[in-house]
């Protein structure tokens, strides 16, 4: 019996027993599951590279500048940038105005999110109760508000509520009342504008989710005598929870970093900065005062807060057994 020397090899055996011929171990081919595991990442690679350039690198630069002394002197090249460590953050956290602006931002963003979710969900349910023509008209009007640029919408709202020429004061009989003079009235005016341009996203998204709910489920709840509010609370809301999670997180991110509406409607933050939010406050520090390092530190704080809120919210949802 002979063996091909290219495929067989001799291995030493016991003395006098001769050698034992064995075949070399063959490499197992990669399983289809292992090969297919990399396939999604190959498709996502161009998007990941693009996100790395447009997102990761700017965040890196933002964090780097927040640890440096970076003012107009460093920008113009007159002085070298020096490492400050956490000195900028210590200066920021020691400023009482920062904490006032942070509190105002949190309260204002929470009010915007809750109002937007309430109005958007209510109108989404309304869309399922009206006929095709008024439903189409409502959706077109809402999408028109959604598509309007923030600076255009803010300018229009300032004109509508102008104390001298605005039609709102004339209709309500408020005379020359200035909505932007008082702190709370100015925040209320900005909230209405944010609501006007934000509720269409919630309305359309929730409406699409409601249309995906089987009609048999809603008919069964109605036959059992459940009211519309009970149907929403006990049937629709639990089934729409993944969608509500998405619109809630999106609304938190958008409303927490509102800039254009506040800057345009309150003329840069209101009288003596009474209507400042963190985004406008960072803009004033970075560009009005040329303290780019402090502005970057505020941006990093905003990023950390938004990430923390999102992660905590997702953790609470996962504890309830929801699949995302």
């Amino acid at each position: 019996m002979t063996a091909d020397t290219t495929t067989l090899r001799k291995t030493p055996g016991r003395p006098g027993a001769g050698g034992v011929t064995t075949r070399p171990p063959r490499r197992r081919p990669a399983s289809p599951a292992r090969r297919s595991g990399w396939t999604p990442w190959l498709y996502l690679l161009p998007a990941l590279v693009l996100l790395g350039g447009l997102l990761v690198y700017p965040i890196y630069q933002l964090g780097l500048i927040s640890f440096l002394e970076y003012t107009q002197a460093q920008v113009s090249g007159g002085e070298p940038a020096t490492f400050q460590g956490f000195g900028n953050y210590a200066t920021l956290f020691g400023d009482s105005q920062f904490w006032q602006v942070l509190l105002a931002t949190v309260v204002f963003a929470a009010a915007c999110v809750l109002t937007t979710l309430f109005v958007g969900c209510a109108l989404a349910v309304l869309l399922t109760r009206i006929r095709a023509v008024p439903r189409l008209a409502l959706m077109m009007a809402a999408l028109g508000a959604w598509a309007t640029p923030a600076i255009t919408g803010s300018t229009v709202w300032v004109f509508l509520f102008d104390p001298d020429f605005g039609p709102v004061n004339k209709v309500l009989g408020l005379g020359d009342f200035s909505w932007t003079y008082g702190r709370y009235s100015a925040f209320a005016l900005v909230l209405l504008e944010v609501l006007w341009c934000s509720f269409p996203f919630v309305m359309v998204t929730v409406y699409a989710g409601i249309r995906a709910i089987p009609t048999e489920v809603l008919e069964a709840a109605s036959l059992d005598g459940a009211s519309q509010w009970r149907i929403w609370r006990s049937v629709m809301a639990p089934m729409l929870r993944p969608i509500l999670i998405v619109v809630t997180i999106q609304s938190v991110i958008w409303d927490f970093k509102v800039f254009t509406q506040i800057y345009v409607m309150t003329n840069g933050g209101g009288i003596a900065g009474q209507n400042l939010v963190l985004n406008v406050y960072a803009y004033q520090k970075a560009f009005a005062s040329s303290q780019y390092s402090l502005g970057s530190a505020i941006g990093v704080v905003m990023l950390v807060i938004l990430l923390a809120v999102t992660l905590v919210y997702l953790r609470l949802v996962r504890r309830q057994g929801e699949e995302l």
Side-chain angles (χ1 to χ4, degrees):
M1 182 176 179
T2 62
D4 189 354
T5 57
T6 61
T7 59
L8 300 179
R9 62 185 178 87
K10 290 284 187 176
T11 57
R14 292 178 299 174
V20 179
T21 58
T22 59
R23 291 183 179 274
R26 294 180 179 179
R27 174 179 294 180
R28 290 184 177 180
S31 63
R34 180 176 298 179
R35 288 198 303 267
S36 62
W38 290 97
T39 303
W41 292 103
L42 293 177
Y43 285 108
L44 291 174
L45 183 60
L48 293 177
V49 172
L50 183 63
L51 286 176
L54 297 179
L55 185 63
V56 177
Y57 181 73
I59 291 177
Y60 162 75
Q61 286 291 336
L62 182 72
L64 178 62
I65 294 176
S66 68
F67 288 103
L68 302 175
E69 182 183 1
Y70 204 74
T71 61
Q72 188 61 40
Q74 284 75 27
V75 172
S76 61
E79 297 180 7
T82 57
F83 182 73
Q84 297 292 315
F86 290 95
N88 292 320
Y89 293 94
T91 302
L92 185 65
F93 295 151
D95 186 2
S96 60
Q97 186 182 17
F98 167 76
W99 296 105
Q100 296 173 3
V101 173
L102 176 61
L103 177 61
T105 304
V106 171
V107 174
F108 175 74
C112 290
V113 170
L114 294 177
T115 308
T116 302
L117 291 177
F118 176 77
V119 174
C121 292
L123 291 178
V125 175
L126 177 63
L127 287 176
T128 64
R129 303 295 177 185
I130 58 179
R131 296 182 179 273
V133 174
R135 179 169 62 244
L136 178 61
L138 177 57
M139 292 192 69
M140 292 299 294
L143 292 177
W146 191 17
T148 303
I151 189 170
T152 304
S154 301
T155 304
V156 171
W157 276 76
V158 169
F159 169 75
L160 292 175
F161 289 85
D162 185 83
D164 297 322
F165 306 103
V168 175
N169 281 11
K170 295 180 180 179
V171 172
L172 298 179
L174 297 178
D176 58 351
F177 174 75
S178 177
W179 289 81
T180 58
Y181 182 79
R183 183 186 187 190
Y184 298 107
S185 60
F187 270 128
L189 182 60
V190 177
L191 185 148
L192 290 176
E193 202 280 334
V194 172
L195 169 65
W196 176 74
C197 66
S198 300
F199 84 86
F201 170 73
V202 179
M203 183 191 73
V204 173
T205 307
V206 175
Y207 173 72
I210 293 176
R211 299 299 294 179
I213 297 176
T215 56
E216 295 81 2
V217 177
L218 302 179
E219 291 176 356
S222 179
L223 291 175
D224 288 340
S227 62
Q228 293 299 323
W229 167 247
R230 185 62 184 271
I231 292 175
W232 165 260
R233 185 171 63 88
S234 302
V235 180
M236 290 185 179
M239 300 184 72
L240 294 173
R241 186 169 296 173
I243 294 177
L244 293 177
I245 291 171
V246 173
V247 297
T248 300
I249 294 177
Q250 290 275 23
S251 298
V252 169
I253 294 174
W254 289 342
D255 296 338
F256 191 82
K257 59 185 186 68
V258 165
F259 174 83
T260 304
Q261 291 88 342
I262 289 286
Y263 192 84
V264 173
M265 300 179 70
T266 65
N267 196 22
I271 301 173
Q274 63 181 2
N275 296 114
L276 283 175
V277 292
L278 281 180
N279 239 354
V280 180
Y281 185 58
Y283 175 84
Q284 288 189 353
K285 288 293 184 182
F287 297 100
S289 303
S290 298
Q291 300 178 9
Y292 302 104
S293 52
L294 284 180
S296 300
I298 298 172
V300 172
V301 171
M302 292 180 60
L303 176 63
V304 171
I305 291 175
L306 289 176
L307 287 177
V309 171
T310 303
L311 293 177
V312 168
Y313 192 74
L314 293 177
R315 184 178 181 86
L316 292 176
V317 170
R318 286 185 177 275
R319 283 184 178 180
Q320 297 176 1
E322 292 293 334
E323 293 292 336
L324 298 178

